[in-house]
Amino acid sequence: MKYQISIEGGTAFTVAAEEDTLLRGALRAGMALPHECSVGGCGACRFDLVDGLMESVWPEAPGLSERDRKRGKYLACQSRPLGDCTIRVRCDESYRPAVRAHRSAAELLARRALTPDMSEFTFRVPGATEFRPGQYALLYLPRTPGARAYSMANLPNEEGIWKFVIRRVPGGSGSNALFDQVGIGESIVFDGPYGHAYLREDSPRDIVCIAGGSGLAPMLSVARGALADGGSRRVHFFYGARGQADLGALDALEKLAEDERLALSVVLSAPESTWKGPTGFVHEEVERNLTAPLGSYDFYFAGPPPMIEAIQALLMHKHQVPFGQIRFDRFV
Ligand SMILES: Cc1cc2nc3c(=O)[nH]c(=O)nc-3n(C[C@H](O)[C@H](O)[C@H](O)COP(=O)(O)OP(=O)(O)OC[C@H]3O[C@@H](n4cnc5c(N)ncnc54)[C@H](O)[C@@H]3O)c2cc1C
Ligand code: FES
């Protein structure tokens, strides 16, 4: 069974009744519905229900403020249509999916510890792996309500391999379920790819990748994608972590830095006394280290919200880098 969703003053599309949310159904139908995180945290997918019935799958989702709730707003990533509906939302071409997402079983092939709390997980999904470097997938984990977003660290491939670098969050239900309850050879439900902070291949500008903590995963993919295209663009890669114990993923970065087009800077915010490299916050090192005006680069960054806000302030307010040169994922 399918429901027809009409956008007030615009077009209409259909969503399968078994689809878990309006957003996923709309993107699978190729609609350019605004969104960012897909998991209820950012509020970018807010819409008004004009007619019909909609169920909220996570009514307390932080992406809606109290004011939004009082005004009857919904989150597309946390709502399911219960019949034909009319919604009010402003579609935007930049959100049209680059690759149509699909839902499938994903088998866990390998788990490799990188740091005390971060591991690389390798999954296999039937069919070739198709995504843009910088995109993420949704994983449905045992005894965890909703989906969790995790960014791919590898590149598209024919073998159906999807690699993720995931941090165990203290008390977090999804990340702990993945570390403790999904065994090698077991399968979980996977849905992807999603996200629009992906590498734009057609830009002539040098690239700056800035990763904080587990934000490393999508930045590895963006850097790998930029180097793989064989062009002359340089990649300036900044990795911010707390201390030396967090540097277990450095081997992958050092391997990338063997390509002379990539310059690597690692900065620690709380290093031990033996650390000889730069210290402080990663955005401070970006400003110290880059020699050309910041407006001459394309920026990609991913990590915790405070890091994202500090980099946005640096780029957008202090250096007036055009918005079209800035792409990021906030790990809400
Ligand atoms: C675009 C994006 C990409 C990300 N990429 C990575 C990555 O590559 N590596 C990495 O380690 N982390 C990544 N994260 C963070 C990751 O998605 C999780 O937030 C993190 O692992 C903590 O999840 P948890 O279940 O352990 O913690 P919890 O605190 O249990 O859950 C937090 C997350 O689950 C959602 N959530 C909580 N309760 C519910 C509910 N009842 N119903 C539905 N959703 C709920 C929240 O919106 C939040 O996203 C990414 C986040 C985003 C938004
Ligand atoms: S995309 Fe729905 S809250 Fe972020």
Side-chain angles (χ1 to χ4, degrees):
M1 190 165 50
K2 292 192 168 185
Y3 300 135
Q4 167 144 321
I5 311 297
S6 307
I7 298 179
E8 197 182 55
T11 177
F13 58 98
T14 56
V15 170
E18 62 274 14
E19 188 61 78
D20 70 346
T21 67
L22 172 66
L23 179 67
R24 252 83 89 191
L27 296 178
R28 253 187 271 287
M31 301 301 296
L33 227 59
H35 65 286
E36 264 181 38
C37 71
S38 292
V39 290
C42 73
C45 64
R46 275 188 305 251
F47 72 94
D48 293 301
L49 180 62
V50 178
D51 189 35
L53 274 181
M54 200 66 77
E55 147 183 82
S56 178
V57 293
W58 185 23
E60 307 80 26
L64 282 183
S65 64
E66 265 325 300
R67 189 156 171 265
D68 289 330
R69 276 181 241 278
K70 282 197 187 117
R71 293 166 67 202
K73 299 270 178 200
Y74 288 78
L75 292 176
C77 72
Q78 301 299 327
S79 304
R80 283 186 65 226
L82 298 176
D84 295 347
C85 291
T86 302
I87 62 172
R88 187 179 305 123
V89 68
R90 192 184 298 239
C91 289
D92 175 333
E93 264 320 296
S94 66
Y95 292 101
R96 199 173 296 285
V99 180
R100 295 285 172 97
H102 71 288
R103 183 186 283 255
S104 176
E107 180 192 357
L108 180 60
L109 294 185
R111 179 193 289 116
R112 183 167 70 96
L114 300 175
T115 72
D117 63 356
M118 214 155 70
S119 291
E120 179 190 75
F121 292 81
T122 305
F123 284 90
R124 184 170 46 217
V125 176
T129 302
E130 215 195 324
F131 64 84
R132 298 284 157 84
Q135 287 196 292
Y136 60 89
L138 298 173
L139 304 186
Y140 293 77
L141 296 156
R143 285 174 278 284
T144 300
R148 295 297 181 267
Y150 293 111
S151 310
M152 282 68 82
N154 61 333
L155 288 180
N157 56 83
E158 289 299 315
E159 295 75 36
I161 300 299
W162 300 71
K163 282 185 190 265
F164 303 93
V165 172
I166 297 179
R167 193 169 80 82
R168 185 198 282 270
V169 174
S173 60
S175 58
N176 283 283
L178 181 56
F179 276 79
D180 300 332
Q181 294 172 36
V182 184
I184 304 297
E186 288 180 4
S187 291
I188 58 168
V189 174
F190 156 102
D191 191 354
Y194 290 103
H196 45 94
Y198 56 80
L199 175 65
R200 299 315 197 264
E201 314 270 2
D202 52 357
S203 166
R205 284 178 285 274
D206 284 353
I207 289 172
V208 180
C209 292
I210 313 169
S214 54
L216 187 61
M219 294 303 105
L220 276 175
S221 185
V222 166
R224 285 175 169 143
L227 297 179
D229 81 2
S232 58
R233 283 198 288 173
R234 291 185 61 75
V235 179
H236 302 266
F237 199 114
F238 295 87
Y239 181 42
R242 274 181 63 73
Q244 276 104 315
D246 300 320
L247 296 183
L250 262 192
D251 57 344
L253 279 172
E254 282 165 352
K255 208 162 179 338
L256 276 181
E258 286 169 10
D259 188 317
E260 58 178 22
R261 291 171 296 163
L262 187 137
L264 174 63
S265 306
V266 178
V267 52
L268 298 184
S269 59
E272 291 78 354
S273 56
T274 49
W275 175 248
K276 301 274 185 288
T279 58
F281 291 119
V282 67
H283 67 280
E284 299 165 342
E285 181 59 14
V286 170
E287 196 178 24
R288 271 196 299 264
N289 186 294
L290 291 174
T291 48
L294 298 197
S296 62
Y297 300 96
D298 283 338
F299 286 86
Y300 296 87
F301 44 104
M307 182 199 99
I308 300 293
E309 277 145 35
I311 300 174
Q312 281 179 312
L314 174 77
L315 301 182
M316 291 155 76
H317 300 141
K318 192 164 173 196
H319 289 273
Q320 277 86 46
V321 177
F323 192 64
Q325 290 169 225
I326 297 176
R327 295 191 171 80
F328 59 89
D329 267 331
R330 195 190 319 258
F331 285 11
V332 289

